[in-house]
């Protein structure tokens, strides 16, 4: 027996475990069987999200391109979930970078038009899609990196918070936060849980009550994003960080991630229908509908003015 | 439909939602019906706390003036709860600033004379009042700001920790902390929970075990207070921070606050009688009584000496 | 009655409560009755850990001296638990400093030879010993300080994390972390809980997924250790910090510590057998055994080469 052969020493001596020495069985074991026949990967696009997969690195990029502000409409959310599922089921893909093809905006969050003047059934369908997006992203087996190249309020912030790592463009004009309280509405408990898991209870308590949008440098200071880079370095940096995460054996990293996030994921899973009912009854209130109509009217005038 | 009309964008474009555009229904909806006929507000005082309400801004100030050290006696606590309840029930009041009228001391914490040589019934009544003070303050619907203009040990620290925001005078002679362990006693679990919610588990673990009192600059570094200002700027700063918090619609802010604090509040609510029994049995111990008597004797001699 | 005699003021005025005024009943009340006859203390050693007790200060030092890398073998763990129990039962001992007698290594973590080619019963016995070590150390009534004078990966890091305070030698070549994920294995949930209690959820999520080993300066920045000192100052600094902690009455400090750590301790206590079964079934996998054999073979060749 080799004396002093400890788990820890192995790593101390060898540095990051080289991929070539990884037992092949560890790499992808946690993947669910694909089930459905897979589309031939590489690049599939629909309307609102452009997906590019580099098979040599195993890294996909999902680029939001839904003008003017990458709002999270039912169509966007559906496409997001389908795209993510396809990548999860593609054994050539191990990590995803999320970024925007729209200048200055990462994503502006939930689409108000889905919440205004529609049927109860529509509200339920919409909210279920919002939940689905988060459940898939926060629980994603692949490495997920947000390359935040623009402002990212509300639901846009939620997407960034749900990734494993957040890199933001170093521009104080770009801001990020769960600003729901400023609108007189309340971030759902699972938005809050995700926020707390990133910045801790105290910062969350203050930021959520103020509905604060934090300029990039402040977001870094609060831990809301992990680092800032000049815009022209963003994709390069995201690729470098991704390579660092992909140097780890997938299986152990996936189980570790699941262990860290399970409590918060389970909380929504076990209250999902309640959460939908809550959204419907809130959205259906005449006072809320009136306020949303006024806001959309204001936008329309601004546009034509 | 206005394309790109998202919740987030509304805010990005409009900055903080102007109060004038707030639907009136949102503003005060969470308030309980007053129930009792309201005293004509403005200024009501009793013995130990001076309450001033500025109806134009909706901001009240509660000034502790119970010499020599604003100790939390049963009378003080009762007056505190009544004053806070009156403000909660007054629709003209949306926020409260807590500060001291006694130089160098914010509050020195629980009054030992209430814990020494009294009946079991008295201990129960006193502890129930301490609990009541915290339940009302930590769960307060109004915006609460601690303007800490002096030292703030033990129960004094608890008052500050229970507010939404803490501003402390930038004087290293003023300190703050839950120093119970130094007395050979243990901070109740809900003191601990409140502390952890502000500074996190690790800092709390160390600070509570050491019964540490942190000078103002250290308190800032640990996150125990949010900012330091020169003494002459304290009230002005508190008013400015209050205005920032009051720019938000009350209803959404209140529900957000409740969402953040509910777990910790519920823990005491569901163990309240146990916690009182625990306090009585601890306080009634002869060893504790003896130690408290010795301490009071020492203070008396110092005074007459 | 002395007006203004508050708990807090007592401390503000008197500084740290002098030990001489501590009621003798508080000092050691929480200790379990020794039960077994005590060995005559001072210094007892076996093979792998040297224990020195300074009866004048009440401080013991446990020095790991199991070459080459202080790996946590079944023998080491057993000796660790017995030594700690003896000290707990010795009324002359109030605090323990953990350090290494091996240059450059604090402890390299679990001994792989205990996990390779052995019986199911052996795996169970080994894992129970790992659990026992943590349960005793994390729940230890005495003040525990890690004087980390070398690298401290995996199980070595767990020992440091379980202490009340961590001082590390200021040498960027020494690193510390739970690097299990780099080996394709997953840190047990109670390693994770201990880590989160020290650095918080976000830092833990990233560090554990990356299986990161942090050089001393980075470990300080993350809060993984509390301070860095030059190697020649380490023991002196550990003694000074210990004196600060021992200035507090034991009983209150012990109950406070237990209040802070109980949730996490209870989680393992109530899932202990499950956790052992989990370890056995993981370790017994042919793929894991093969990988461990390859690693040990590599070490053997390196040694003879």
């Amino acid at each position: 027996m080799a004396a002093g052969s400890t788990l820890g020493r192995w790593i101390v001596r060898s540095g990051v475990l080289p991929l070539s020495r990884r037992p092949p069985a560890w790499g992808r074991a946690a993947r669910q069987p694909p089930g459905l026949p897979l589309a031939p990967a590489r690049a599939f696009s629909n309307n609102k999200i452009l997906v590019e997969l580099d098979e040599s690195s195993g890294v996909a990029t999902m680029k939001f391109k839904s003008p003017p502000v990458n709002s999270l409409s039912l169509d966007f959310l559906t496409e997001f979930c389908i795209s993510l599922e396809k990548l999860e089921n593609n054994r050539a893909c191990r990590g995803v970078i999320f970024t925007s093809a729209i200048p200055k905006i990462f994503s502006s969050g939930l689409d108000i038009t889905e919440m205004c003047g529609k049927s109860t059934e529509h509200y339920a369908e919409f909210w279920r899609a919002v939940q689905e997006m988060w459940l898939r992203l926060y629980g994603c087996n692949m490495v997920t990196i947000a390359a935040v190249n623009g402002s990212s309020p509300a639901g846009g912030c939620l997407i960034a918070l749900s990734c494993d790592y957040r890199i933001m463009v170093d521009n104080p004009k770009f801001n990020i936060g769960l600003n729901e309280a400023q609108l007189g509405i309340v971030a759902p408990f699972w938005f809050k849980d995700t926020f707390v898991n990133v910045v801790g209870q105290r910062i969350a308590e203050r930021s959520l009550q103020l509905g604060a949008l934090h300029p990039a440098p402040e977001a870094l200071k609060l831990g809301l994003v992990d680092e800032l880079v000049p815009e022209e370095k963003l994709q390069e940096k995201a690729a470098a960080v991704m390579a660092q995460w992909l140097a780890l054996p997938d299986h152990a990293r996936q189980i570790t991630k699941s262990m860290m996030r399970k409590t918060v994921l389970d909380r929504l899973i076990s209250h999902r229908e309640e959460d939908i009912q809550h959204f419907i009854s809130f959205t259906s209130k005449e006072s809320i509908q009136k306020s949303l109509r006024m806001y959309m009217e204001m936008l329309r005038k601004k546009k034509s003015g």
Side-chain angles (χ1 to χ4, degrees), chain A:
Chain A
M1 283 294 165
S5 48
T6 63
L7 290 182
R9 197 188 190 195
W10 183 6
I11 302 158
V12 171
R13 294 207 162 167
S14 62
V16 172
L17 188 66
L19 285 177
S20 56
R21 280 193 6 238
R22 248 189 320 130
W26 291 358
R28 309 288 301 188
R31 285 299 165 77
Q32 295 128 355
L36 296 174
L38 294 178
R42 311 257 171 182
F44 54 91
S45 177
N46 206 310
N47 282 313
K48 299 178 184 305
I49 301 172
L50 177 67
V51 180
E52 295 165 334
L53 170 59
D54 175 352
E55 295 207 357
S56 68
S57 65
V59 180
T61 302
M62 278 178 59
K63 255 191 197 145
F64 308 150
K65 55 172 190 69
S66 180
V69 292
N70 287 329
S71 60
L72 306 179
S73 62
L74 184 53
D75 282 352
F76 184 101
L77 294 165
T78 306
E79 202 178 318
F80 185 98
C81 288
I82 291 173
S83 300
L84 199 58
E85 190 180 17
K86 278 188 189 169
L87 294 173
E88 283 263 14
N89 288 334
N90 183 341
R91 296 175 64 91
C93 181
R94 299 176 61 219
V96 190
I97 294 167
F98 300 87
T99 196
S100 168
I102 312 275
K104 298 182 192 166
I105 288 284
F106 179 70
S107 160
S108 262
L110 305 185
D111 189 338
I112 286 183
T113 60
E114 305 284 6
M115 300 165 59
C116 196
K118 299 287 201 314
S119 69
T120 299
E121 289 70 31
H122 185 85
Y123 298 150
E125 190 185 359
F126 176 61
W127 198 247
R128 192 179 299 278
V130 178
Q131 293 176 332
E132 191 67 26
M133 180 269 285
W134 178 77
L135 288 169
R136 285 190 176 276
L137 181 57
Y138 199 63
C140 184
N141 265 332
M142 297 179 287
V143 175
T144 52
I145 293 178
V148 183
N149 52 351
S151 284
S152 196
C157 177
L158 183 72
I159 291 179
L161 289 173
S162 303
C163 289
D164 292 314
Y165 198 81
R166 286 156 287 286
I167 309 166
M168 192 165 181
V169 167
D170 190 4
N171 184 337
K173 288 186 186 164
F174 296 166
N175 49 36
I176 184 168
L178 294 182
N179 55 340
E180 281 81 352
Q182 282 199 22
L183 285 163
I185 62 174
V186 178
F189 71 90
W190 41 284
F191 283 50
K192 181 267 287 177
D193 288 343
T194 310
F195 200 77
V196 168
N197 267 358
V198 172
V199 298
Q201 172 78 17
R202 170 57 191 155
I203 290 173
E205 193 183 284
R206 184 175 162 199
S207 183
L208 293 182
Q209 282 194 72
L210 289 172
L213 284 172
H214 306 287
E218 188 177 289
L220 178 68
K221 221 174 128 193
L222 297 177
L224 198 46
V225 299
D226 294 299
E227 58 183 310
L228 302 185
V229 295
E231 183 136 25
E232 67 276 14
K233 300 272 185 184
L234 182 63
Q235 300 312 319
E236 181 190 321
K237 182 73 198 183
V241 171
M242 181 60 86
Q244 185 197 8
W245 285 68
L246 292 182
L248 275 287
D250 286 341
H251 188 57
R253 188 193 46 70
Q254 286 161 0
I255 297 176
T256 304
K257 180 172 179 174
S258 160
M259 177 170 68
M260 298 302 299
R261 299 190 167 189
K262 193 176 183 319
T263 309
V264 160
L265 283 164
D266 284 351
R267 204 171 302 157
L268 177 58
I269 291 167
S270 62
H271 294 92
R272 198 163 174 184
E273 292 310 315
E274 256 172 273
D275 186 58
I276 292 172
Q277 290 312 315
H278 181 83
F279 176 76
I280 293 173
S281 78
F282 172 80
T283 307
S284 305
K285 275 186 192 154
E286 187 40 40
S287 61
I288 298 296
Q289 284 295 312
K290 192 177 160 189
S291 165
L292 295 175
R293 277 194 305 269
M294 277 167 56
Y295 169 56
M296 291 203 299
E297 186 60 29
M298 190 193 72
L299 277 188
R300 215 172 286 134
K301 279 180 188 157
K302 212 175 228 170
K303 231 179 148 186
S304 60

